[in-house]
Amino acid sequence: MPPKRKFDKEDILNAATEIIASGEELTARAVAKKAGCSTQPLFSCFADMREVKKEVYSRAIQIYKEYVYKVRENVPFYKATGIGYVEFARKKPNLFKLLFMSNSTEGADEIPLDDVIEIVQNATGYPYEAAKNFHFYSWIFVHGIASMIASGFIDWDEETVDKALTTEFVAIKEKFDKDLKENIK
């Protein structure tokens, strides 16, 4: 008789992430079924389902970062982060909803705001606080597009998203440039 397969933490996390990504409810039984094991390996790797959910949330953030920080040829890096954010919402809508459209804030500090603010500073030349505010206004716009795509409200193609992000960036930059000049006087 062949030895029983041993299920490890990675197997359990892969199954749990697939469950969330597919929009199913994350339960111990669902994870065990998806992984092809009983619930026993799950609870030998994790203390409880809360710990599983926390790990899945961290994994979702890593997947999110792969989209957002992906270098896109001939696209300014800050714009590329916005395109990546929308692409993540389009291709992984349930993970997007987990991170950005749910009440769960556990692990939210793993989303690096300072990295993005530095990208804005490089793109605009603004000091930290101005870059932070610029990103906040830009993010509201990009998040709106991404949320509507993730929820199925709109189905914009990449070209439409690209044009919208350019228009929004130019408009906000023009306003910030004007405000910064007025504050210098």
Side-chain angles (χ1 to χ4, degrees):
M1 189 157 110
K4 286 187 178 182
R5 183 177 186 279
K6 297 232 185 225
F7 293 90
D8 62 12
K9 192 173 186 174
E10 194 64 24
D11 296 323
I12 303 298
L13 281 175
N14 287 340
T17 303
E18 286 179 32
I19 289 168
I20 293 290
S22 71
E24 297 172 51
E25 184 181 359
L26 187 64
T27 64
R29 286 182 189 208
V31 173
K33 182 178 178 184
K34 179 67 100 181
C37 63
S38 70
T39 57
Q40 191 278 328
L42 188 153
F43 293 115
S44 65
C45 294
F46 297 95
D48 53 28
M49 283 303 292
R50 186 171 180 271
E51 187 179 343
V52 173
K53 289 176 183 178
K54 185 176 180 181
E55 292 278 343
V56 169
Y57 193 93
S58 292
R59 181 166 287 190
I61 289 171
Q62 291 308 312
I63 295 167
Y64 155 78
K65 287 177 183 179
E66 291 170 15
Y67 280 89
V68 171
Y69 295 117
K70 177 181 173 184
V71 175
R72 290 169 167 76
E73 200 170 311
N74 300 318
V75 178
F77 195 49
Y78 185 57
K79 184 178 185 179
T81 64
I83 290 170
Y85 189 83
V86 173
E87 183 182 8
F88 175 67
R90 178 182 292 112
K91 292 186 177 174
K92 304 290 184 183
N94 292 311
L95 295 180
F96 178 85
K97 290 173 189 176
L98 172 71
L99 296 179
F100 301 108
M101 296 176 72
S102 71
N103 292 332
S104 177
T105 57
E106 198 167 313
D109 57 336
E110 293 181 49
I111 300 172
L113 184 60
D114 283 341
D115 292 352
V116 176
I117 293 170
E118 185 177 329
I119 293 166
V120 174
Q121 287 180 291
N122 291 335
T124 62
Y126 294 158
Y128 182 87
E129 280 303 314
K132 182 178 173 183
N133 289 332
F134 184 96
H135 176 64
F136 177 74
Y137 288 110
S138 296
W139 183 71
I140 290 169
F141 182 80
V142 174
H143 180 71
I145 293 170
S147 296
M148 288 187 285
I149 287 173
S151 67
F153 186 75
I154 62 172
D155 186 24
W156 286 4
D157 61 19
E158 199 170 305
E159 184 179 339
T160 304
V161 170
D162 186 272
K163 286 178 183 177
L165 294 185
T166 297
T167 301
E168 171 266 342
F169 179 87
V170 170
I172 293 175
K173 185 159 182 348
E174 186 176 297
K175 170 78 169 112
F176 270 70
D177 287 348
K178 181 182 174 195
D179 289 352
L180 287 171
K181 278 184 183 177
E182 288 177 5
N183 285 337
I184 293 174
K185 291 179 184 179

